Amino acid sequence: GQNIDQPTEMTATEGAIVQINCTYQTSGFNGLFWYQQHAGEAPTFLSYNVLDGLEEKGRFSSFLSRSKGYSYLLLKELQMKDSASYLCAVRDRSGGATNKLIFGTGTLLAVQP
Amino acid sequence: DAMVIQNPRYQVTQFGKPVTLSCSQTLNHNVMYWYQQKSSQAPKLLFHYYDKDFNNEADTPDNFQSRRPNTSFCFLDIRSPGLGDAAMYLCATSRDRQISYNEQFFGPGTRLTVL
């Protein structure tokens, strides 16, 4: 079956670094996405990993280990506007459509002054 | 700017009264998706269109239907909304589904309330 696990909530301090973990189980892994979703708004794309290793994009980095079924999103120099839900999504090709995304329930990050 | 547009942003309907949500895109993407997201839950894929080819998820209730009259527009029809259908409905697009890297672009969503 398919399963994606993320912590439900996290709290961090402005200016600090936070790591949001995601573990997944899927039969047809074909890439992992991280999306940011502010309350009442649509998810916006943050990062994509399909090979093992770290992808860096400004203050945001994402890491993938396919053998462990594990990814993390690293946010540096936290700002108040980073308070949002962070969704881990795995692309699964076992159903035939290669761009079908399976979303985790998201990690609600609260950044405090 | 190219974007995914959803109308209305907020929709109120009565129990059992058919409702239609709309999505349009200026990205000229081949694939359009409809997701349902309930409070504090993950977005759940209902169905998607690859061009005119409709792909329904196995667990999507028959109460949910979709139409894509052209590349730019896609509609979600809920034939007889129940209280359990109250949710945020997200439309998304992607350029293709055969290319390995292919992010999905989301619209702002329509929040549906069923009275």
Side-chain angles (χ1 to χ4, degrees):
Chain A
Q2 301 156 337
N3 192 44
I4 299 176
D5 286 315
Q6 306 177 234
T8 305
E9 295 180 351
M10 297 183 72
T11 302
T13 304
E14 192 175 15
I17 299 173
V18 70
Q19 178 174 311
I20 302 174
N21 296 324
C22 172
T23 58
Y24 64 88
Q25 293 175 318
T26 182
S27 54
F29 178 82
N30 194 26
L32 186 144
F33 292 79
W34 283 95
Y35 282 83
Q36 180 191 62
Q37 186 176 26
H38 285 98
E41 297 182 12
T44 55
F45 170 77
L46 289 178
S47 69
Y48 170 75
N49 296 72
V50 68
L51 299 177
D52 292 349
L54 188 68
E55 294 284 339
E56 297 187 78
K57 190 185 289 187
R59 294 190 298 115
F60 292 52
S61 303
S62 57
F63 172 83
L64 176 67
S65 169
R66 289 171 295 170
S67 61
K68 296 181 179 178
Y70 168 69
S71 173
Y72 67 72
L73 179 69
L74 194 70
L75 293 77
K76 304 176 186 175
E77 302 170 14
L78 279 173
Q79 302 174 10
M80 298 298 291
K81 68 178 182 179
D82 296 330
S83 294
S85 185
Y86 291 86
L87 302 167
C88 173
V90 171
R91 180 160 57 213
D92 184 352
R93 62 183 169 206
S94 60
T98 58
N99 203 21
K100 177 179 176 178
L101 290 183
I102 311 298
F103 281 87
T105 55
T107 298
L108 185 61
L109 174 66
V111 179
Q112 298 177 339
Chain B
D1 289 339
M3 58 175 58
V4 182
I5 303 161
Q6 290 187 247
N7 286 306
R9 294 292 309 276
Y10 300 90
Q11 176 72 57
V12 180
T13 191
Q14 292 180 335
F15 182 93
K17 184 176 181 181
V19 66
T20 295
L21 310 182
S22 72
C23 177
S24 63
Q25 53 124 345
T26 60
L27 298 159
N28 203 32
H29 282 174
N30 288 323
V31 194
M32 295 187 77
Y33 308 81
W34 279 104
Y35 290 86
Q36 179 193 63
Q37 187 178 26
K38 297 185 177 181
S39 181
S40 302
Q41 296 185 20
K44 178 180 178 299
L45 182 64
L46 295 173
F47 27 59
H48 76 274
Y49 272 96
Y50 178 65
D51 196 13
K52 296 182 180 180
D53 181 29
F54 177 70
N55 297 267
N56 199 28
E57 292 301 300
D59 56 355
T60 297
D62 292 339
N63 197 27
F64 292 85
Q65 305 285 322
S66 186
R67 295 169 285 135
R68 190 179 186 186
N70 53 53
T71 300
S72 301
F73 285 87
C74 194
F75 300 99
L76 170 62
D77 300 309
I78 308 177
R79 293 191 296 186
S80 182
L83 298 179
D85 297 328
M88 174 76 86
Y89 289 88
L90 297 165
C91 174
T93 73
S94 65
R95 183 160 52 93
D96 208 333
R97 67 179 186 183
Q98 301 298 331
I99 300 171
S100 60
Y101 171 67
N102 217 339
E103 69 177 275
Q104 293 185 15
F105 294 83
F106 284 83
T110 294
R111 183 166 294 283
L112 178 68
T113 300
V114 181
L115 301 177

